[in-house]
Amino acid sequence: MFLKECRRIIFSITFILFAAVMLLDYWSQYGTALSTVTEEPKAGEGDYWTYGTISDVDTDEVMQAAVQNLIVEYQQGNYTSYPFGYYKEVRLNDSKKAEMVNILNTLTGYDADELLHTTFNITQYGIDEGGNEVEVLPENGVELPVVSEQVTYDEFLLIMHQADDLIGGGSSYSESSIERLSERSVNYEEALNVYQTFLEEGIAPGLARLLCDYLCIFASLFPAFIAVAVWYRDKTAKMRDILWVKRSSSMKTVFARYGAIVGLCTLVIMLIALVTAILITRLYAGESVKTAAFFKYTIIWVVPSIMASTAIGAFFTEATDTPAGILVMLVYWFLDFNSGSLMITGLKTFTTLIPRHNSQFMAAEFQTMYQNFLTNRVFFAAASLVLMLLTAMIFERKRRGRWLRFDKISLRRKKEHPA
Amino acid sequence: MLKEKIEIRNLTQRYGRKTALHEVSLSMGTGMHGLLGRNGAGKTTLMRTMVGLLPVRAGEINLCGISVQDVPEIRKIVGYLPQEFSMYPNMKVYEVLDYIGVLSEMPKQLRESRIEELLHKVNLYQERNKKVKSLSGGMKRRVGVAQALLHEPKIVIADEPTVGLDPEERVRLRGLLMEEAKDKIVILSTHIVEDIKASCEDVVILDDGHLVYDGGTTDLIELTQTNGIEDAYLKIIHSREVQ
């Protein structure tokens, strides 16, 4: 039955679309990694951003910069935030304004009136006569008090968290943004170290993580579409009564379909991993490339997302008799994709469907989160199987006329199947 | 050895507050049985209950000695042709039967030989590589009959199989079912009296969920002192309306 389902799915439009999107995404996002050899950094280049960032900027500077920014926004009455990755200007009501004054007062010692009317010695941006953006420092500006003399860094982070809550989340004062304020580009010595770790790891692990980072984005979404199409087709093709009276158990039917979708989607990404392994081996000819990493990471990283996406599509279609699975998956995917960090260090919850690690370096950072990452992946694989068990139970109840038996549904069924 | 008999005792089925079947009791052996009644008489409810698609609210149904509550066993011995059905439109006729054969857990060799045999029987062998969406309504019905017979069930239940077919297709389809009825229990549900007259020796008449007749077609004519099944059926129904 598994092979029959595979045959049915492999020629379906939704599956072909999935394969096309994966290939397109792979080519457009990963093309550079396939064609450019990562070279040893050379001293005196001055810019080592491509080798990563390090979060070790002086915390005093971070605190000072954040408070300066917060004062400017308070004086303007507008706060910038990026809920789910989208730009938004926020204006606070009176009670929230008062709370924000309390926060600024704790950090600076100034009261509301002083905060509003004092010209602080804060660099702002303006436009010069040529239309270029320039930094402007006000004349006779008052120096801001040193924030680190008012609070410790830990206290500061807590206060910033409150400020972010007042703004509604996604502001420059959220934990991930504050951390970003403390990031800087690596220097030459650090870049050299990053490069050597990349080589010592065997080249492929770093590139495999970057590959999975890209593949996982759409592999977490499109399998749901395939599942919805497969499950919903029984209804639209008026095949349900015929299928329901056949001998095959619900568990067998449901899991054969599930296995076929997950198996075929996995086959697509494994083929991509195989092609990548071949191309990278050629690109780094003469170097020791641990190609197995492409397959290892693809399986443990991307397959659980495929399993989850398929299970969500199947479950909601079976439970509601509608293509609701698509909507549920789109909302989940959209929120997850836009709220997640670009780095694995942002993986903080069990519900992160799309773990990100948008770098071929930062192996040490990845390793520190590796246990969390594995737990997250096992959780998704296990939750998917549970969801499919529930789907099989609903399927069996429907076959016996025992799903949603309250009057309205029964009457609707009566209308569909007049006596 | 399974008893080749259907036994229904005091079957009552409800949809919410509406009672669709009132304490129906009947018995059927090998052969072709007509199930006659107006739209809404309870025919589909009775058949869907018999194949396990609806739970039994009250009463008892035994198919060849197996309680209808034992749904997995019932699925093995029943072939069902629903009133409203279609097939996956992009599948070919052979593919759809093969898929259904897999769902019926038939071994590959048996599946292949049985599909070929049935395609000849329902006169669709030439169309085996055509997509379902390109078939006429009559052809689809014949594929429907083929899928119901595929796993060689002991009982075949066909719900209004002749609706919407032209006279030639109706005769062909009735003929097919009559042939199967030689060694099976075949139930043909219809509201077209002519189908019963042409193919059934026994008839069950349902009206508003009540069993109003269960017996031979000739006995029905004698009982009602009429000239044919159509008159007999109308007389029974009208007498109930007067009551």
Side-chain angles (χ1 to χ4, degrees), chain A residues 4-5 7-8 234 237-239 241 243 245-246 248 252 257 396 399-402 407 414 418-419, chain B residues 15-16 40 42 44-45 48 52-53 55 75 84-88 91 95 98-100 103-105 147:
Chain A
K4 282 268 170 264
E5 294 294 352
R7 195 180 150 79
R8 222 155 62 88
D234 290 345
K238 294 183 182 170
M239 271 290 277
D241 280 357
L243 299 181
V245 297
K246 297 301 172 205
S248 174
K252 198 171 171 181
R257 288 179 170 188
E396 180 60 26
R399 291 174 83 177
R400 295 175 184 234
R402 291 176 190 273
D407 289 353
K414 173 88 175 153
Chain B
Y15 293 104
T44 298
T45 300
R48 288 174 65 79
L53 286 173
R75 287 171 188 158
E84 265 194 69
F85 77 100
S86 188
M87 308 270 177
Y88 300 126
M91 267 193 182
E95 284 173 349
D98 194 39
Y99 181 67
I100 284 166
L103 287 171
S104 302
E105 301 190 340
Q147 67 78 26

Side-chain angles (χ1 to χ4, degrees), chain A residues 288-355:
Chain A
S288 164
V289 181
K290 290 183 180 169
T291 47
F294 287 108
F295 306 105
K296 175 188 144 187
Y297 279 115
T298 304
I299 288 171
I300 61 173
W301 192 314
V302 190
V303 173
S305 287
I306 292 176
M307 288 173 72
S309 179
T310 308
I312 288 170
F315 175 78
F316 283 99
T317 307
E318 196 59 61
T320 64
D321 272 351
T322 68
I326 289 180
L327 188 67
V328 173
M329 195 64 237
L330 274 173
V331 171
Y332 188 2
W333 181 87
F334 181 81
L335 295 179
D336 195 81
F337 181 61
N338 287 301
S339 62
S341 164
L342 277 175
M343 286 299 149
I344 200 88
T345 43
L347 181 75
K348 289 193 170 62
T349 66
F350 276 134
T351 53
T352 300
L353 178 65
I354 314 167

Side-chain angles (χ1 to χ4, degrees), chain A residues 37 44 89 117 120 166 235 247 249 274 286 324 332 349-350 370:
Chain A
V37 177
E89 280 188 6
H117 298 111
F120 291 102
L166 284 178
K235 186 184 176 186
R247 188 173 170 176
S249 73
L274 177 67
Y332 188 2
T349 66
F350 276 134
Y370 191 60

Side-chain angles (χ1 to χ4, degrees), chain A residues 101-396:
Chain A
V101 167
N102 281 339
I103 285 173
L104 285 169
N105 180 260
T106 310
L107 296 170
T108 64
Y110 285 99
D111 64 24
D113 204 43
E114 290 167 333
L115 282 166
L116 207 55
H117 298 111
T118 308
T119 304
F120 291 102
N121 199 10
I122 298 173
T123 304
Q124 297 202 38
Y125 293 93
I127 305 291
D128 69 7
E129 289 166 357
N132 303 310
E133 194 177 65
V134 288
E135 291 184 355
V136 182
L137 201 62
E139 284 175 20
N140 307 320
V142 177
E143 277 299 322
L144 263 179
V146 178
V147 180
S148 59
E149 287 173 3
Q150 319 285 323
V151 292
T152 66
Y153 189 62
D154 285 342
E155 286 167 343
F156 167 79
L157 287 178
L158 278 174
I159 291 169
M160 285 295 107
H161 183 71
Q162 288 168 16
D164 182 55
D165 274 352
L166 284 178
I167 295 166
S171 72
S172 314
Y173 317 105
S174 67
E175 206 171 334
S176 57
S177 298
I178 290 281
E179 280 170 8
R180 230 171 279 154
L181 274 177
S182 67
E183 281 177 1
R184 65 160 173 82
S185 163
V186 291
N187 59 31
Y188 169 68
E189 285 75 20
E190 287 156 348
L192 193 61
N193 191 33
V194 164
Y195 175 73
Q196 277 161 356
T197 308
F198 173 68
L199 288 187
E200 282 161 15
E201 221 195 352
I203 297 169
L207 289 166
R209 290 191 290 268
L210 183 64
L211 175 71
C212 289
D213 176 64
Y214 291 132
L215 290 184
C216 201
I217 294 171
F218 289 115
S220 303
L221 176 66
F222 279 88
F225 294 4
I226 304 172
V228 170
V230 167
W231 259 267
Y232 198 56
R233 199 175 301 150
D234 290 345
K235 186 184 176 186
T236 54
K238 294 183 182 170
M239 271 290 277
R240 298 203 296 188
D241 280 357
I242 287 177
L243 299 181
W244 287 352
V245 297
K246 297 301 172 205
R247 188 173 170 176
S248 174
S249 73
S250 299
M251 211 58 98
K252 198 171 171 181
T253 307
V254 165
F255 275 90
R257 288 179 170 188
Y258 181 63
I261 298 171
V262 172
L264 287 173
C265 292
T266 302
L267 186 68
V268 172
I269 56 160
M270 290 308 276
L271 284 174
I272 291 175
L274 177 67
V275 170
T276 312
I278 294 168
L279 295 177
I280 293 293
T281 308
R282 278 190 195 165
L283 190 67
Y284 289 86
E287 302 278 359
S288 164
V289 181
K290 290 183 180 169
T291 47
F294 287 108
F295 306 105
K296 175 188 144 187
Y297 279 115
T298 304
I299 288 171
I300 61 173
W301 192 314
V302 190
V303 173
S305 287
I306 292 176
M307 288 173 72
S309 179
T310 308
I312 288 170
F315 175 78
F316 283 99
T317 307
E318 196 59 61
T320 64
D321 272 351
T322 68
I326 289 180
L327 188 67
V328 173
M329 195 64 237
L330 274 173
V331 171
Y332 188 2
W333 181 87
F334 181 81
L335 295 179
D336 195 81
F337 181 61
N338 287 301
S339 62
S341 164
L342 277 175
M343 286 299 149
I344 200 88
T345 43
L347 181 75
K348 289 193 170 62
T349 66
F350 276 134
T351 53
T352 300
L353 178 65
I354 314 167
R356 302 297 313 268
H357 190 75
N358 195 243
S359 170
Q360 66 196 71
F361 307 117
M362 301 182 77
E365 284 82 352
F366 181 80
Q367 288 307 326
T368 57
M369 290 301 289
Y370 191 60
Q371 210 49 48
N372 272 8
F373 167 75
L374 277 187
T375 310
N376 168 283
R377 297 291 81 191
V378 169
F379 167 77
F380 269 97
S384 306
L385 293 177
V386 170
L387 212 51
M388 288 317 295
L389 280 173
L390 292 173
T391 307
M393 283 165 62
I394 294 170
F395 188 75
E396 180 60 26

